[in-house]
Amino acid sequence: MKKITIIGGGASGTLLAVNLVRNAGQTPIKVNLIEKRANVGRGVAFGTEYETHLLNVPAAKMGGVHDDVEHFYKWLGGKGYSYEPNSFVPRKIFGMYLGDLLQESKNGSAPPNAKLNLIDDEAIDLIERNGVLNVALSSGTEIVSDHAVLAFGNFLPPHPSVEDQAFITSNTYFQNPWTTEMYESLGADDSVFIVGTGLSMVDVAMHLNAHDHRGKIHAISTRGLLPAVHELGFTYPAFYDELKPIREITAMLKAVRRHIAVAEANGSNWRGVIDSLRPVTQQIWLDLPLAEKKYFKQHLSRYWNVARHRMPAKAAEVLNRMQEAGQLEILKGRLRKIEFDRDQFDIEYSADGMTNQIHADVLINCIGSESNFSNVDSPLVKNLMSHGSIRNDDLAMGLDATPDGSIIGTNGAPSATLHTLGTALRGVLWESTAIPEIRVQANKLALKLLRS
């Protein structure tokens, strides 16, 4: 019997487990899915319990099954929900959907030769003895495996980059912007300072607005850019053949801008152009020289993320109202100092050659998941790094691995037994954090593991 252990029970680990069971055929397999959190199948992104936290992909494109993109939308109908195909559904409902997929694979649709075990524990090390891979758990148990898959998902954000970080011990600094504890501890009149202006910040602002928060909210990032707003229905013909031979980011940018001008002249817009690139973004990234990837990361990635990772129009309307009312202010600048004095944060930032100061009652970290594995505070990651079993990719944006998920350790060779998918592959594939990409990766990796 083939034994496969998946470490991490968020969306990536769940979809891999589901695909292993669905594709098992006549192959006897035992799949162990290890997750210490209570919300197995949901992870950080879909573990929220709040209606205000919305998907940023329309329901009809969020299917967890690689060959049925409307699978989630059909599930919604079967559960009695009345959402439209283009609705941006609360993320907690998608979490319920993932949980259903997992339970169906465990109890309902699994063939007799495929067994799925959910293990409430924490993996802390991988140990190879006499050619056998053992996954060590914090409880002291070891699980013998033919393959192990690191399905990490999102880690906590890095702390804001200021010299003195004594402020992180304050009980009104929240490194995790998704916790119920944070929302429950906020006073309605508390002034709030948010580090980051991306989709996590949008989540926080949406929740505060829905719960009648009255205090002033500041949010800062180096560019002061909010996510772009979804406008559905725009398309543009594929032009990958033109981009395929280009190996310079600046030349590629010029080509994309030219097509955006054509799109706007013909009734489409930039969204159609960007969306036309999505099926080929991974290949474009793989073909770029490392120096060009570094240039893109440093100079253009923020603008790409604004255009690519958009917010629903409903969220944009709420944020616009908050800004017009003077409650929400988006700042452009660099943090220089954060100090906590008694009950308040004293924050200093620079912008346009000027130094500015703000005082706030609450500090919320919405920087985004830590992607440099050298900085991840996890016993498993630290042990694997110390063994040389894993290492950062060249951009320190995830793990070094082959595009199909075989992890590359310090010996420089792809592992035959250790694999990954999802967020950990962002540096390798760039486009590797959303369900439309993860569902394809999960299916391909499942087939690869079953064939091996």
Side-chain angles (χ1 to χ4, degrees), residues 65-125:
V65 183
H66 79 284
D67 56 357
D68 186 359
V69 297
E70 294 189 350
H71 192 266
F72 172 57
Y73 179 65
K74 296 171 185 175
W75 177 90
L76 287 170
K79 292 293 183 179
Y81 291 104
S82 56
Y83 291 104
E84 297 297 320
N86 286 334
S87 295
F88 294 92
V89 178
R91 291 207 304 271
K92 74 172 190 177
I93 297 179
F94 190 79
M96 294 164 55
Y97 164 71
L98 290 174
D100 269 15
L101 286 180
L102 192 62
Q103 289 302 321
E104 181 184 344
S105 296
K106 184 177 187 299
N107 302 320
S109 63
N113 53 292
K115 185 177 183 182
L116 172 59
N117 295 323
L118 306 182
I119 300 174
D120 180 10
D121 211 326
E122 179 182 11
I124 58 173
D125 205 354

Side-chain angles (χ1 to χ4, degrees), residues 50 83 108 131-132 146 151 160 167 221 289 301 326 343 347 408 426 450:
Y50 300 110
Y83 291 104
V132 176
D146 299 304
F167 70 89
S221 62
S301 60
D343 298 322
I347 300 156
I408 299 173
R426 190 177 177 216
L450 290 168

Side-chain angles (χ1 to χ4, degrees), residues 43-359:
V44 171
F46 307 113
T48 176
E49 291 298 323
Y50 300 110
E51 294 282 343
T52 51
H53 295 168
L54 305 177
L55 296 172
N56 65 327
V57 175
K61 297 182 179 180
M62 278 293 289
V65 183
H66 79 284
D67 56 357
D68 186 359
V69 297
E70 294 189 350
H71 192 266
F72 172 57
Y73 179 65
K74 296 171 185 175
W75 177 90
L76 287 170
K79 292 293 183 179
Y81 291 104
S82 56
Y83 291 104
E84 297 297 320
N86 286 334
S87 295
F88 294 92
V89 178
R91 291 207 304 271
K92 74 172 190 177
I93 297 179
F94 190 79
M96 294 164 55
Y97 164 71
L98 290 174
D100 269 15
L101 286 180
L102 192 62
Q103 289 302 321
E104 181 184 344
S105 296
K106 184 177 187 299
N107 302 320
S109 63
N113 53 292
K115 185 177 183 182
L116 172 59
N117 295 323
L118 306 182
I119 300 174
D120 180 10
D121 211 326
E122 179 182 11
I124 58 173
D125 205 354
L126 297 179
I127 305 163
E128 192 163 340
R129 298 192 187 96
N130 302 319
V132 176
L133 189 64
N134 295 271
V135 181
L137 306 182
S138 60
S139 62
T141 304
E142 290 190 0
I143 299 175
V144 176
S145 309
D146 299 304
H147 297 275
V149 181
L150 306 178
F152 287 125
N154 292 310
F155 296 105
L156 289 177
H159 296 300
S161 181
V162 293
E163 185 175 351
D164 184 357
Q165 295 200 333
F167 70 89
I168 68 174
T169 61
S170 166
N171 60 7
T172 50
Y173 164 64
F174 297 96
Q175 184 185 11
N176 185 346
W178 305 288
T179 60
T180 302
E181 174 193 358
M182 179 185 76
Y183 291 122
E184 290 178 346
S185 67
L186 283 174
D189 295 305
D190 283 345
S191 55
V192 177
F193 192 91
I194 303 173
V195 185
T197 60
L199 290 171
S200 295
M201 183 281 295
V202 174
D203 279 350
V204 173
M206 290 281 287
H207 179 91
L208 294 179
N209 176 78
H211 289 79
D212 300 320
H213 187 81
R214 297 184 295 268
K216 178 77 174 186
I217 304 167
H218 289 95
I220 191 171
S221 62
T222 54
R223 300 289 190 275
L225 299 172
L226 290 172
V229 184
H230 274 292
E231 291 180 13
L232 302 178
F234 293 99
T235 60
Y236 190 78
F239 56 102
Y240 175 58
D241 288 345
E242 179 183 341
L243 300 179
K244 189 174 182 179
I246 299 176
R247 295 294 181 269
E248 293 182 358
I249 285 294
T250 53
M252 196 171 293
L253 178 60
K254 289 178 182 177
V256 171
R257 283 176 169 167
R258 186 171 63 253
H259 282 279
I260 288 174
V262 172
E264 291 176 345
N266 288 279
S268 185
N269 68 15
W270 64 264
R271 293 169 180 82
V273 175
I274 297 299
D275 292 345
S276 75
L277 294 174
R278 186 161 184 179
V280 295
T281 300
Q282 291 182 344
Q283 191 58 53
I284 291 172
W285 184 256
L286 287 167
D287 290 341
L288 285 173
L290 178 59
E292 293 298 306
K293 293 178 182 178
K294 289 180 177 178
Y295 179 88
F296 178 84
K297 178 185 176 184
Q298 181 178 353
H299 298 288
L300 296 174
S301 60
R302 291 178 180 88
Y303 299 101
W304 172 265
N305 289 335
V306 164
R308 167 65 186 82
H309 301 286
R310 302 167 209 153
M311 61 177 158
K314 178 181 177 181
E317 290 169 5
V318 170
L319 264 62
N320 286 338
R321 288 199 302 269
M322 295 175 74
Q323 288 177 277
E324 290 170 359
Q327 184 186 21
L328 172 64
E329 185 175 353
I330 305 300
L331 305 173
K332 172 186 176 182
R334 292 186 179 275
L335 289 172
R336 298 302 181 190
K337 187 184 297 184
I338 301 176
E339 295 179 347
F340 184 72
D341 184 17
R342 293 188 293 265
D343 298 322
Q344 199 170 54
F345 295 94
D346 299 320
I347 300 156
E348 185 177 295
Y349 71 97
S350 60
D352 299 324
M354 302 287 289
T355 298
N356 306 275
Q357 287 191 329
I358 287 178
H359 305 291

